Amino acid sequence: MAGTEISQSGDDEVDLIIDAWSTILPDVDLSPLDVMSRLRRVARDLQRVRESAFSASGLRAWEFDILSLLRRSPDDLSMTPSQLAAWTTATSGTITYRIERLEERGYVARTDNPADQRSRIVTLLPAGRERVESAMRTLVAAEARLLEGLSWNQVAALIDALRTVGASAERDARP
């Protein structure tokens, strides 16, 4: 990294931060900072990898999210805008805008909801299905490259550990 000197022993930027804080606060166990700083950095870099994968497939992240939800939907590739908004945590105005953009691109269609006259149904069209499946293949290949240095056992342990950390973070983030 420009401007950052990495020691010959293989220390990275987080190690240098931990070393500095260890001197300042020798009585504090900094292992949580060590882990979470690495997670934050990985998350930042992973976001870039994902955006690049989606872009290579001609999509933005929000487009992928909506098309992916529809592709996985058990209801014949259809959902209501309210369901899409709930899953993506977007406001109703935002989800309406996004559905309109996807409709303009020929990826989804909106029809009246026969079960509820006040809402519509958003259905994934063949072009949207092709696009989201292509994006998923590109994404999985890009993310697989990030894990190349790990064994299957390490990947399984990482999944398990991240699942536990994620549950704790979700619990602590609740208002």
Side-chain angles (χ1 to χ4, degrees):
M1 199 169 225
T4 303
E5 291 185 38
I6 304 300
S7 75
Q8 296 296 341
S9 65
D11 285 353
D12 63 13
E13 186 176 354
V14 174
D15 291 321
L16 298 175
I17 292 167
I18 297 302
D19 289 347
W21 276 107
S22 294
T23 303
I24 297 166
L25 301 173
D27 59 318
V28 176
D29 175 11
L30 298 172
S31 55
L33 179 66
D34 197 350
V35 171
M36 297 307 172
S37 293
R38 291 175 198 288
L39 279 176
R40 185 178 58 80
R41 292 168 197 290
V42 168
R44 177 198 62 211
D45 295 340
L46 179 57
Q47 184 64 29
R48 291 184 188 130
V49 167
R50 287 181 153 230
E51 287 172 1
S52 177
F54 298 145
S55 179
S57 296
L59 295 174
R60 295 183 183 142
W62 64 263
E63 292 173 312
F64 175 83
D65 289 344
I66 292 172
L67 296 175
S68 178
L69 280 168
L70 290 168
R71 181 64 183 98
R72 298 185 331 259
S73 171
D75 296 327
D76 298 324
L77 310 177
S78 298
M79 296 175 80
T80 66
S82 296
Q83 290 171 316
L84 290 168
W87 276 96
T88 61
T89 66
T91 65
S92 61
T94 298
I95 205 69
T96 298
Y97 169 83
R98 290 176 175 179
I99 292 167
E100 287 171 356
R101 300 295 78 77
L102 290 169
E103 191 173 34
E104 288 171 3
R105 293 184 72 187
Y107 297 153
V108 302
R110 287 184 291 176
T111 56
D112 291 334
N113 184 347
D116 181 357
Q117 297 300 319
R118 297 169 295 154
S119 75
R120 310 225 30 213
I121 297 287
V122 180
T123 303
L124 185 64
L125 296 176
R129 181 179 176 155
E130 270 183 41
R131 186 63 55 139
V132 75
E133 288 179 8
S134 170
M136 180 56 82
R137 290 176 195 284
T138 302
L139 174 62
V140 170
E143 290 180 349
R145 285 190 296 277
L146 300 177
L147 299 174
E148 282 178 347
L150 301 175
S151 70
W152 281 109
N153 288 339
Q154 288 174 312
V155 170
L158 182 58
I159 290 168
D160 190 45
L162 290 173
R163 186 177 287 124
T164 301
V165 171
S168 294
E170 184 179 343
R171 182 193 66 238
D172 288 357
R174 287 188 194 126

